[in-house]
Every structure is written in structure tokens, then in C-alpha cells.
Amino acid sequence: MATEIRIPKIGISMTEATLSEWLVADGAAVEAGTPLYAIEMDKSTNEVDAPASGTLKILGEVGEVYEVGTLVATIE
Amino acid sequence: MTGDTAAEPDRSVLLDIYRRANLIYQADEKFRTMIMGGQLQIIYYSPRGQEILSAALMAALNPDDYLVTTYRGVHDQLAKGIPPRDLWAEFAGKKTGTCKGKGGPMHITHPETGVMVTTGIVGSGLPIANGLALASQLEGDGKVTVVCFGDAASNIGAFHESLNMAQIWKLPVIFVCQNNLYGEHTPQAMSTGAKELIDRAPGYGIKGVQVNGNDAFAMYQAASEAAARARAGEGPTFIEAKTFRFFGHLLGDDSHYIPKEEMAAAKLADPIPGYRKALLERQVSEAELDAIDAEIAEVVAEAAAHALASDYPDTDEIRIDVLGMEIAA
């Protein structure tokens, strides 16, 4: 089953974030617990670790602003 | 700090502490994975680093003793015994939760396991704990009330009033300051005049104990002695339990205000592998601990799946459980 990667809520007033960088290439293998992508909000940048291991399928684009909960990738 | 003169707790207690600490550890890891994966959208305060403190403290209590904790208290709530699936559902705001999904992580309440209230206001739990302890004293039910709070809460007026009143009335209460050295993003030295929080105890004539909260043996001993004092009618104890937290005040906090060397040293002294090692040195086998880990992994996975699969409460529910009598539609 694919693991969905959604924009996390990691701030009390956070409702959206800018997807600033993918740290793993589309189609590449990722390992659970290693940095997957970076998001920017409220003047801070956070790296988000992969919650599962597998092959990354990127859906979200760098530079776009996404609401919390938006699907931006899957790991199969 | 308390001495190591007392006899060690027996094997069943040591494993009980391990079990409680490991439940906190694995539940925290699952919460963080789900939140960072966007599956769960909640504000979350990771207890990573403070597991042993809670586990040893709660293992020293009776199941029906009272607990008052804070919104930064998922470790206390799990260690006190709230069924993980009920707690998890409440965190997710689902109707199968401890407060039917209407309290959320800030207001975990579960009287069946003695978790009487979780407060969202810093320092507000202490007077409530005095009230519970006074009720126990009047009814003579033999229960002890424990209230957990952070280092910065000791600067709130209610802390001082509560210690004073509890001492005057010899209330069966244990004030446990989980001193992780930072109040939100502020180091203790910038918010607190006293060098050591324990130094405040003599000012109120209250028995004070400073302990390494990350040392299961010292923490269990301090909590056991305080509970025995309370049950014997000898009054309250103030325990300052030193600890540390690895994931900031709340998830998303990058801990930039914590010196890198301080964080590195704290992680090197991580109490979870430390306690496992201590048990292995006491003739507990790897296989025995691995079996506990595996059993808890199943409990945590089931709790998380149950929370995700449960429904949200109906909007109509907002009128119910607020007052003693339901309000008509």
C-alpha cells in the first residue's frame, strides 16, 4: 500500500506552507527517517523526514503554496 | 539529589517501568510520523526524553491515585494507564476518544485511571490538585494526588500559593516539577531568579527532593517515599525532577535556542537506551525486552488505526457534556 505524504501541521497558526525543495528525486528510493522535502512557513524552513521506505512519486511542485493536508507525494 | 541507599525495586516493578516507558516512546514515534506525514493534523508536544521520569513516577502510584497534568503531558497520561486507543482517538478529535473527541489533546481527562484533568494554562493544575487532595483527606479514601508541571510554571503565583496551602493543611499531594530546563523557548536562567527550583521548598516549609528524573531508580524511590509520606498523613512533597526534551517545545520547533553541545550531551545520555542497558545488567534478557517492545508496537499500531477509522463527533454534540443537565435543542 502506498504511503501518502501530506503537508503537515507543525505550527499553532499554520494553515499552509511553501514547498521549497525536494531532497529526493522523483522515482528514487527513499528510506524511512531520512529527509524527504523542505517546507517554508512563518519565516522558518523545516525538513520533513520520510515516514516510510520505498519509491518516491512526487506530486507537489517546488515554489507552490499548499494548504495543510494537501497530498504532495506518495511512497510505494 | 537522593542517595542510592534504598534497596532496588523488585524485578516486576522494573519491568513495569520499562513497559510504561516503552509505550510512551513508541506512541511518540508513531504520533510524530503520522503528524509529519500529514495524516494527523494536531499541535503536538513530544515527550521524547522524558519517558523514564513519567514511567517511574506512575509505577510508584496506585491505579486509583489522582493525576493532574498539562497539555505537555502525553507521557504522564499514557504512563498513568489511559488505554492507548481511547487516548489516541481523543488526540485525533474522534468520538471514540476519552472526551468523545470534544476535548482534544489539550484536555485529556480519564477518571477511570485517575487522570482527573489536563490543563492548558501554565501553573493552573496545582490548586486543582490541592482540591483533589483535600477531598481525599476529608473522605479518608487514602488516595494521593500527583500534579505535574514544568520548570517555568514554578514562576506562576498559583505554584507558590499551592505549596504553602498544601503544607499548612498537610494535604496528600505530590508536586512534581518536570524540569526540562526550558520554558517553551526560554532557558531557566532567563526566567527564574532561583538557581535551583528545589531551593523554593524551604520557604514554604515543604519537604523538597531534587532528583535526576531520567534515572528510573532514583525517580521511583523519590516518588515512592513521597507517596508514603502523603498516605501517612505527613503532608506534601515537592519533587524537582531534572530531565530534557529532544524535540523542542512543540513539533516544528527547531530548538535553535538550545546550544548544540547541550543537545548532543543530552542525546548521549538518552534515558531510553540507558534504562534498557540497566535492565540487561540486572539479568533481564534481550528476548524478554524485545517481546515487550513487539507487544507494545501492536498496541500502538492498533490504537492509531482505531483513531483514524473512528468518526468525528456530530456538531450537535457541542451542546452536550458542558453542563450537568443537557441543553435542549
Side-chain angles (χ1 to χ4, degrees), chain B residues 45-61:
Chain B
Y45 305 85
S46 171
R48 192 61 268 282
Q50 298 185 213
E51 301 91 343
I52 292 293
L53 193 169
S54 276
L57 169 63
M58 304 309 169
L61 302 177

Side-chain angles (χ1 to χ4, degrees), chain B residues 25 48-49 51-52 214 246 264-275:
Chain B
Y25 177 81
R48 192 61 268 282
E51 301 91 343
I52 292 293
N214 290 351
F246 297 159
K267 286 190 171 169
L268 207 62
D270 188 336
I272 286 287
Y275 186 57

Side-chain angles (χ1 to χ4, degrees), chain A residues 8-61:
Chain A
K9 181 174 174 65
I10 48 174
I12 288 176
S13 56
M14 175 184 174
T15 56
E16 58 182 31
T18 304
L19 205 171
S20 51
E21 187 184 4
W22 284 104
L23 302 169
V24 177
D26 189 29
V30 296
E31 198 181 321
T34 57
L36 181 62
Y37 69 114
I39 52 174
E40 212 176 297
M41 72 287 173
D42 300 340
K43 299 177 199 159
S44 73
T45 302
N46 271 267
E47 285 190 0
V48 179
D49 291 345
S53 299
T55 306
L56 179 68
K57 187 180 175 196
I58 290 178
L59 303 170
E61 288 179 27

Side-chain angles (χ1 to χ4, degrees), chain B residues 154-185:
Chain B
S154 72
N155 295 319
I156 299 286
F159 166 90
H160 300 270
E161 295 177 30
S162 299
L163 262 65
N164 186 56
M165 186 167 279
Q167 177 62 19
I168 293 168
W169 291 351
K170 294 275 184 284
L171 296 178
V173 61
I174 309 173
F175 300 104
V176 180
C177 177
Q178 299 189 11
N179 185 357
N180 61 25
L181 313 179
Y182 289 85
E184 295 210 355
H185 310 151

Side-chain angles (χ1 to χ4, degrees), chain B residues 1-8 207 209-212 215-222 225:
Chain B
M1 305 269 167
T2 50
D4 50 3
T5 47
E8 282 202 355
K207 164 92 174 169
V209 181
Q210 191 180 49
V211 64
N212 175 4
D215 177 337
F217 303 92
M219 188 66 218
Y220 181 81
Q221 186 189 332
E225 287 172 5

Side-chain angles (χ1 to χ4, degrees), chain B residues 116-157:
Chain B
M116 302 310 283
V117 67
T118 295
T119 63
I121 305 295
V122 173
S124 68
L126 291 88
I128 298 172
N130 273 358
L132 287 163
L134 178 62
S136 288
Q137 189 183 59
L138 292 173
E139 289 173 16
D141 63 14
K143 290 181 189 175
V144 169
T145 299
V146 170
V147 53
C148 294
F149 50 92
D151 34 298
S154 72
N155 295 319
I156 299 286

